[in-house]
């Protein structure tokens, strides 16, 4: 019996939106094959893949060359000197064509339905949605499951994911799993890509994008995020934190973007947290800068003043 009339043929790749994967590598050799194989395993057929090596020193470039040779449609960029994540991503983004863009760190892993599910979600949403993000599995260096990004109990998900207009939410708290984001090209283009003066990109992207675009939380697990000692997040909130100056710069931008007292109060929650961490870890110059931002936001409290005074005394 011929059942072909009852089957639903898959759309031809050219009828689906093009999705660009910018696969960014810096010394990810132990994890690279698993990451690149997860691109090959995607069920979504219309992909543009840009492999970017940011001057790795661990043999990653050889692995990337091997995959690029086996998959001629993939584009390979071997940067001659380390550019940092923001600049390396922007170079690839400017050369790309996808309607949607995935910033993929090659120590992570994409689950097979990842892109198909997120594109389908975008197609159900209004065009002012600029980001779809999801839950993630956190894995260790040997790819063993550790936990999910969101803790689930009878009361819901923790941290509670905001959806829609999330500007105040991204100011006050951390809830988005960065590797799970699929971004609309128009959103990145409006922002001019990532800010290359910063040491990291996600907080700044959330703040600037959320001012003009809605975000959507898709309650699926789409990504396996790698936890390992060399990841950038492990260096945060330590003496001479390399990312704190960037955080302060983003908070300055955020204050300029705030339009209402509740938004300034949301930013104050972030500033107060950063101030306490800066004092705790002995970053006293940065602590004083954060206190000044609290004053500009008209949100400084007596304890904030005391912490600033302590930082001033310790700084000499």
């Amino acid at each position: 019996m011929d059942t072909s009339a009852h089957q639903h043929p898959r759309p031809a790749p050219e009828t689906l939106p093009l999705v660009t994967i910018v696969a960014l590598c810096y010394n990810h050799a132990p994890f690279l094959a698993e990451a690149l194989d997860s691109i090959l395993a995607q069920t979504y057929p219309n992909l543009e893949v840009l492999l970017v090596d940011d001057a790795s020193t661990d043999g990653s470039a050889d692995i990337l060359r091997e995959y690029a040779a086996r998959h001629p449609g993939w584009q390979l960029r071997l940067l001659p000197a380390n550019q940092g994540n923001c600049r390396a991503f922007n170079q690839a983004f400017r050369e790309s064509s996808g309607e949607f863009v995935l910033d993929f760190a090659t120590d992570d892993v994409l689950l097979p339905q990842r892109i198909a599910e997120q594109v389908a979600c975008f197609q159900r949403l209004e065009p002012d949605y600029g980001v779809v993000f999801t839950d993630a599995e956190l894995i260790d260096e040997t790819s063993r499951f550790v936990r999910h990004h969101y803790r689930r109990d009878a009361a819901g998900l923790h941290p509670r994911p905001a959806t829609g207009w999330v500007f105040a939410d991204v100011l006050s708290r951390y809830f988005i799993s960065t590797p799970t984001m699929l971004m609309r090209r128009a959103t990145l283009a409006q922002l001019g890509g990532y800010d290359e003066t910063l040491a990291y990109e996600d907080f700044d992207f959330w703040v600037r994008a959320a001012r003009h675009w809605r975000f959507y939380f898709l309650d699926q697990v789409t990504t396996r995020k790698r936890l390992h000692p060399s990841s950038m997040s492990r260096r945060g909130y330590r003496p001479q934190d390399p990312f704190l100056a960037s955080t302060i710069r983003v908070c300055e931008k955020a204050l300029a973007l705030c339009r209402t007292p509740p938004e300034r109060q949301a930013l104050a929650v972030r500033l107060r947290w950063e101030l306490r961490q800066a004092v705790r870890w002995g970053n006293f110059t940065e602590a004083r800068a954060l206190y000044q931002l609290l004053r500009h936001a008209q949100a400084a409290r007596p304890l904030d003043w005391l912490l600033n005074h302590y930082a001033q005394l310790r700084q000499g």
Side-chain angles (χ1 to χ4, degrees):
M1 177 179 172
D2 183 5
T3 61
S4 60
H6 303 286
Q7 296 174 349
H8 298 282
R10 294 179 63 182
E14 60 270 16
T15 68
L16 295 168
L18 181 64
V19 175
T20 295
I21 299 176
V22 177
L24 286 173
C25 178
Y26 179 66
N27 288 348
H28 289 161
F31 317 115
L32 197 47
E34 186 178 9
L36 298 180
D37 286 345
S38 78
I39 296 176
L40 295 170
Q42 289 302 296
T43 62
Y44 191 83
N46 198 16
L47 299 176
E48 174 185 55
V49 179
L50 282 72
L51 307 178
V52 182
D53 184 73
D54 197 12
S56 292
T57 59
D58 67 346
S60 291
D62 292 335
I63 300 171
L64 290 167
R65 286 191 191 95
E66 177 188 339
Y67 273 80
R70 294 209 310 260
H71 306 285
W74 291 12
Q75 303 173 48
L76 177 60
R77 303 286 183 271
L78 301 177
L79 302 182
N82 185 265
Q83 304 291 309
N85 183 72
C86 295
R87 183 169 293 139
F89 174 85
N90 280 350
Q91 290 181 19
F93 171 64
R94 294 186 195 107
E95 298 174 4
S96 70
S97 305
E99 182 179 343
F100 301 104
V101 181
L102 195 166
D103 178 354
F104 179 42
T106 54
D107 51 350
D108 296 331
V109 181
L110 308 175
L111 297 184
Q113 295 286 339
R114 154 82 188 257
I115 295 174
E117 289 175 346
Q118 288 185 297
V119 170
C121 182
F122 261 119
Q123 292 179 316
R124 296 190 297 267
L125 296 170
E126 296 296 320
D128 64 349
Y129 278 88
V131 177
V132 170
F133 66 101
T134 74
D135 199 357
E137 293 180 0
L138 307 186
I139 57 174
D140 66 13
E141 290 181 278
T142 63
S143 299
R144 289 180 299 186
F145 174 80
V146 177
R147 60 181 174 86
H148 287 100
H149 177 79
Y150 297 98
R151 181 172 59 85
R152 297 167 184 262
D153 60 25
L157 303 184
H158 309 277
R160 177 183 55 81
T163 198
W165 295 109
V166 301
F167 180 73
D169 294 277
V170 298
L171 294 183
S172 64
R173 63 195 185 91
Y174 166 68
F175 61 94
I176 297 171
S177 176
T178 303
T180 72
M181 296 193 305
L182 186 66
M183 299 171 282
R184 191 182 293 277
R185 179 181 199 84
T187 303
L188 277 163
Q190 184 186 64
L191 303 179
Y194 295 155
D195 182 343
E196 297 181 8
T197 69
L198 302 176
Y200 70 103
E201 75 291 339
D202 49 10
F203 181 32
D204 180 67
F205 171 79
W206 298 335
V207 168
R208 294 192 295 140
R211 179 76 283 175
H212 304 288
W213 299 82
R214 284 192 279 179
F215 285 38
Y216 187 84
F217 172 65
L218 176 64
D219 193 359
Q220 303 282 347
V221 175
T222 65
T223 306
R224 307 186 81 200
K225 177 183 177 181
R226 184 86 56 184
L227 302 175
H228 53 89
S230 62
S231 63
M232 290 197 304
S233 60
R234 296 299 180 95
R235 287 178 278 167
Y237 303 118
R238 296 295 186 271
Q240 289 78 52
D241 175 0
F243 309 112
L244 188 50
S246 291
T247 298
I248 293 170
R249 176 66 188 122
V250 177
C251 288
E252 291 171 348
K253 294 186 192 182
L255 181 57
L257 291 170
C258 286
R259 297 171 181 166
T260 66
E263 289 175 352
R264 285 191 289 274
Q265 288 303 314
L267 177 59
V269 173
R270 165 82 61 167
L271 292 169
R272 203 164 281 120
W273 165 258
E274 300 290 349
L275 169 61
R276 280 150 180 71
Q277 296 303 315
V279 170
R280 176 187 177 192
W281 293 103
N283 296 308
F284 299 121
T285 299
E286 292 83 357
R288 296 181 64 191
L290 289 159
Y291 175 72
Q292 291 305 315
L293 280 171
L294 275 167
R295 290 189 62 203
H296 292 320
Q298 300 179 331
R301 296 175 179 174
L303 181 56
D304 304 327
W305 181 89
L306 286 172
L307 287 170
N308 177 65
H309 186 62
Y310 173 78
Q312 190 173 6
L313 290 174
R314 287 298 304 271
Q315 201 177 13

